[in-house]
Amino acid sequence: MKAVMVTAPGQVEVVDVPEPTPGPRDIVVRPRACGICGSDVYYIAIGGIPPRQGETILGHEAAGEVVEVGAEVAGLSVGDHVVVNPMADPAGIIGNGGPTGALSELLLIRDAVLGRSVTVVPNDLPFDIAALNEPMAVARHAVNRSTPKPGQKAVVFGAGPIGLGAAIGYKSLGVAHVVVVDIIPERLQRALAVGADAIINSAEEDVQSRLFELHGTAADGTGKPRPGSDLYLDAAGVPAVINTVLACAKHRAILCIPAVHKKPVLVDFGQILTSELDVRMSMGYPTEIFEVTTDIVANRDKYGAIISHHFDFTNALEALKLATTPGAADKVVITFG
């Protein structure tokens, strides 16, 4: 069968690999859609992940159809449509250095357990939208880490897939007003399409002034006026976001950071002492991988708006080339036949 493999630094190929041989506790899934993640771009750049450098099969954002079910597997049947938890494979993370990846014609799920390895989705849910499940679980964990309450006001920096997923998540959990901040007009329009209440182009507008207009006036611990925003989420990963939040945070606001900051960020703790800003980091999805699935099913059109480009598996290398080009695409999804 065909699979997309990183074979050397900067080099990715479609190669022939053996078809999987499932055991009694395993299932085989035929991928029908798989998203491309920023981590895939990194794996290509470094030549794959040890111990499989030079032979790393890509693909961890997968949705597909069950085509084989081991005799000891409960609750799953041939023909079920499923989304995959790449972290659950006992042999290694799917598409992240494990022996398997979802950018292949068949995917072996070892020790398959419904609700841990995969979960079933409705047959009418498009596979490309279902394939957003894994990155949207990342977004939902960030939302959960910021402990939103109904009626609060949130600001999301970065209108890429994680930021857009967070905006949807906040609205789904009852946040009254969500503002998305970015510098790219097309991304900001996509934020409105997924349900953001307002957008700010920080290249053209002063963020703090606009937040006063949108979220009203509150104060820090000494009474100094601050925007009334309760929650801030950094899905951009640039120092300017942190500096803006520090300047805007009202008393006991919360900042959650799922973004990867590639360079150290200088923080003036004296500046935020009076705000008692609560800074929380967010990584992965300890419990959210299938928690978010229900929301994707219920809000499929909003989640679908996150996808910027579609490619067929036969054009997988072209899709990866686009995804590795800075600023060329937001969310690329590869579909199979």
Side-chain angles (χ1 to χ4, degrees), residues 130-183:
L132 294 171
N133 194 91
E134 195 272 351
M136 293 304 99
V138 174
R140 178 53 67 97
H141 180 54
V143 168
N144 288 347
R145 286 281 293 140
S146 59
T147 57
K149 298 178 177 60
Q152 287 187 318
K153 303 166 186 176
V155 185
V156 176
F157 289 87
I162 301 304
L164 295 177
I168 299 172
Y170 278 132
K171 296 301 293 184
S172 295
L173 294 176
V175 170
H177 196 275
V178 176
V179 179
V180 175
V181 183
D182 206 297
I183 61 172

Side-chain angles (χ1 to χ4, degrees), residues 43 49 96 113 135 158 167-168 174 245 249 269 274 284 290 297 299 302 313:
Y43 303 153
I49 309 172
N96 285 259
V113 176
I168 299 172
V245 174
F269 285 103
T274 58
F290 299 137
V297 173
N299 295 289
K302 290 181 179 179
F313 183 62

Side-chain angles (χ1 to χ4, degrees), residues 219-226 251 273-275:
D220 67 5
T222 65
K224 186 175 181 178
R226 301 290 193 191
H251 191 228
L273 179 64
T274 58
S275 69

Side-chain angles (χ1 to χ4, degrees), residues 121-136:
V121 296
N123 283 4
D124 66 346
L125 180 67
F127 282 112
D128 60 339
I129 297 175
L132 294 171
N133 194 91
E134 195 272 351
M136 293 304 99

Side-chain angles (χ1 to χ4, degrees), residues 31-93:
R32 297 290 301 277
C34 184
I36 297 176
C37 176
S39 61
D40 295 321
V41 176
Y42 173 68
Y43 303 153
I44 293 170
I46 64 173
I49 309 172
R52 293 183 173 85
Q53 281 187 301
E55 52 178 2
T56 300
I57 300 178
L58 294 177
H60 61 274
E61 300 180 2
E65 183 177 357
V66 177
V67 293
E68 290 189 57
V69 179
E72 298 177 18
V73 177
L76 291 165
S77 302
V78 170
D80 283 343
H81 292 193
V82 296
V83 290
V84 176
N85 177 7
M87 303 291 291
D89 192 316
I93 303 172

